[in-house]
């Protein structure tokens, strides 16, 4: 019997002890989520059984069992609470995770390879957990959200999966930098930063999985399908560029119109720090954080390259800003 998409994104492939998410187990899992290498010697060539198994093993063995239902959201002072609740991201963040879990589950159900199906099913489950984390947080801090629109199963499953995957690669690259800026500027309390740290590392694992799925998929498809696939990849990038050219209009479940900023991860530094971070400095931070988050994974696995390479290209043409404000000079900087 074919599983429903909700069955895939709400159920892990194996049963887990509800009491297994002890603080010690979560701490150990958090370490494992940042340090993983395949025991297989030699290269992990995309398309090979060794590469495919390593990707699936990585995603399964770096799982963190933290539970959104038991997260103790810290009490925030009035100023910090205002900072959190005023960020213009919560509607789109919750809805993005809602769409991502559906698209990951739909693609997992579509493919036949057991290793990749297992990894993508877990990815869908973790996207659903991210949505739960956000939902618990907005409830804890009484953040008003628009009513969520219905989540509709995509007609073109592979296209929807690639849109989500490539979008996460771009957004995560900049989100890593924003998160570091928020931490160093002490704009948010350390306890809140610590609460979201496992979620940020999971995003790193997600785009690592996507990059290696892409390498595997390209290597294993028949040669005559490759030109059409590459045309679709190019089409996805044009779609994402169009999406980010400005505000995107959406409608909630009640038919109300909303304007959402899909570029917050790029232009949101003023929202998470009291210091003006120049674009060149922002790119430097993103590149450092991107490298740091990926550094613990087997270097033979593919990494997302386009976002950091484009960032380096843009940085080359930006003037140096020796007198720009430094995060390290701010009170409370880490």
């Amino acid at each position: 019997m074919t599983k429903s998409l909700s069955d895939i994104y709400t159920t892990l492939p194996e049963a887990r002890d509800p009491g297994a998410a002890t603080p010690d187990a979560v701490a150990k899992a958090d370490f494992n989520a940042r340090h993983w290498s395949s025991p297989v010697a030699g290269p992990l060539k995309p398309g090979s059984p060794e590469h495919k198994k390593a990707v699936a093993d990585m995603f399964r063995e770096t799982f963190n069992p933290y539970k959104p239902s038991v997260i103790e959201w810290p009490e925030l002072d009035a100023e910090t609470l205002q900072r959190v609740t005023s960020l213009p991201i919560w509607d789109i963040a919750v809805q993005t995770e809602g769409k991502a879990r559906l698209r990951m589950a739909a693609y997992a159900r579509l493919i036949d390879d057991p290793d990749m199906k297992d990894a993508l099913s877990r990815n869908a489950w973790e996207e659903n957990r991210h949505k739960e984390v956000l939902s618990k947080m907005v409830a804890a801090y009484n953040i008003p959200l628009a009513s969520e629109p219905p989540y509709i199963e995509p007609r073109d499953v592979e296209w929807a999966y690639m849109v989500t995957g490539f979008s996460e690669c771009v957004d995560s690259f900049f989100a890593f930098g924003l998160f570091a800026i928020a931490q160093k500027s002490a704009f948010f309390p350390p306890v809140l930063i610590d609460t979201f740290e496992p979620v940020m590392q999971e995003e790193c694992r997600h785009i690592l999985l996507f990059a290696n799925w892409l390498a595997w998929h390209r290597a294993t498809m028949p040669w005559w399908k490759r030109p059409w696939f590459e045309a679709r990849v190019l089409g996805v990038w044009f779609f994402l560029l169009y999406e980010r050219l400005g505000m995107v209009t959406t409608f909630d479940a009640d038919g109300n119109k909303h304007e959402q900023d899909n570029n917050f991860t790029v232009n949101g530094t003023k929202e998470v720090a009291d210091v003006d971070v120049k674009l060149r400095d922002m790119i430097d931070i993103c590149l450092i954080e991107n490298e740091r988050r990926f550094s613990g994974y087997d270097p033979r696995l593919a990494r997302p390259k386009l976002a950091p390479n484009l960032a380096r290209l843009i940085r080359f043409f930006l003037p140096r800003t020796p007198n720009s404000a430094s995060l390290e000079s701010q009170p409370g900087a880490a």
Side-chain angles (χ1 to χ4, degrees):
M1 180 178 179
T2 303
K3 280 188 174 182
S4 71
L5 298 187
S6 61
D7 285 340
I8 295 173
Y9 66 68
T10 59
T11 308
L12 280 172
E14 75 280 349
R16 284 186 174 270
D17 179 3
T22 63
D24 287 345
V26 170
K28 181 179 180 181
D30 185 67
F31 178 85
N32 293 338
R34 303 163 195 272
H35 303 85
W36 186 89
S37 291
S38 170
V40 176
L44 295 175
K45 183 180 178 181
S48 68
E50 293 80 10
H51 171 260
K52 177 169 63 70
K53 186 176 185 304
V55 173
D57 289 348
M58 178 278 297
F59 207 76
R60 183 180 63 256
E61 293 171 8
T62 58
F63 173 78
N64 190 326
Y66 72 87
K67 292 184 177 296
S69 60
V70 298
I71 290 177
E72 295 183 7
W73 296 101
E75 184 175 347
L76 305 178
D77 60 71
E79 183 181 357
T80 302
L81 183 61
Q82 173 61 25
R83 290 173 180 171
V84 172
T85 58
S86 64
L87 289 176
I89 61 171
W90 302 121
D91 288 331
I92 195 171
V94 171
Q95 294 175 26
T96 296
E97 298 295 354
K99 289 187 290 186
R101 67 181 182 182
L102 196 70
R103 293 173 176 181
M104 300 293 175
Y107 194 72
R109 188 174 66 180
L110 180 69
I111 61 177
D112 296 322
D113 184 89
D115 287 325
M116 281 297 175
K117 181 183 286 290
D118 177 78
L120 291 172
S121 296
R122 294 171 187 275
N123 196 168
W125 188 93
E126 290 185 5
E127 298 288 4
N128 185 58
R129 181 167 62 173
H130 286 186
K131 187 176 186 300
E132 288 186 42
V133 170
L134 290 170
S135 298
K136 297 288 185 184
M137 191 205 74
V138 299
Y141 298 134
N142 295 315
I143 300 173
L145 292 182
S147 55
E148 296 178 53
Y151 297 110
I152 302 172
E153 182 175 345
R155 287 182 293 179
D156 189 334
V157 174
E158 185 178 78
W159 171 272
Y161 174 66
M162 289 197 296
V163 166
T164 294
F166 282 121
S167 180
E168 285 191 342
C169 288
V170 174
D171 290 339
S172 294
F173 174 77
F174 290 102
F176 295 157
L178 279 183
F179 194 75
I181 290 171
Q183 180 182 29
K184 291 181 179 180
S185 68
F187 205 63
F188 298 131
V191 65
L192 194 58
I193 294 292
D194 292 344
T195 299
F196 272 99
E197 174 57 34
V199 179
M200 294 301 298
Q201 193 62 32
E202 276 189 346
E203 289 296 347
C204 179
R205 290 171 57 254
H206 290 181
I207 61 177
L208 182 64
L209 171 62
F210 180 76
N212 282 275
W213 165 83
L214 186 63
W216 167 79
H217 193 51
R218 280 174 165 152
T220 56
M221 71 173 55
W223 65 267
W224 51 270
K225 287 186 176 182
R226 185 71 181 271
W228 173 241
F229 177 76
E230 297 302 339
R232 281 167 64 82
V233 169
L234 187 61
V236 168
W237 282 114
F238 275 113
F239 172 78
L240 293 177
L241 178 62
Y242 168 79
E243 188 180 53
R244 283 160 170 72
L245 284 176
M247 303 295 283
V248 175
T249 301
T250 62
F251 295 87
D252 63 25
D254 300 320
N256 299 311
K257 183 178 178 180
H258 296 271
E259 300 288 346
Q260 298 179 332
D261 186 1
N262 277 329
N263 294 310
F264 181 82
T265 53
V266 178
N267 57 28
T269 55
K270 292 182 180 180
E271 303 283 355
V272 299
D274 287 320
V275 58
D276 181 22
V277 182
K278 302 302 182 184
L279 180 57
R280 184 186 180 97
D281 298 330
M282 171 66 177
I283 289 175
D284 285 341
I285 294 170
C286 291
L287 289 169
I288 291 170
E289 286 299 300
N290 189 70
E291 176 62 28
R292 181 181 70 83
R293 289 197 178 272
F294 280 108
S295 63
Y297 299 106
D298 197 315
R300 295 172 294 175
L301 295 178
R303 265 71 167 162
K305 296 294 186 183
L306 187 60
N309 285 343
L310 282 178
R312 291 187 184 96
L313 179 63
I314 293 171
R315 181 185 181 279
F316 180 79
F317 293 100
L318 293 175
R320 294 182 179 275
T321 53
N323 297 322
S324 63
S326 170
L327 287 174
E328 281 71 20
S329 66
Q330 301 303 305

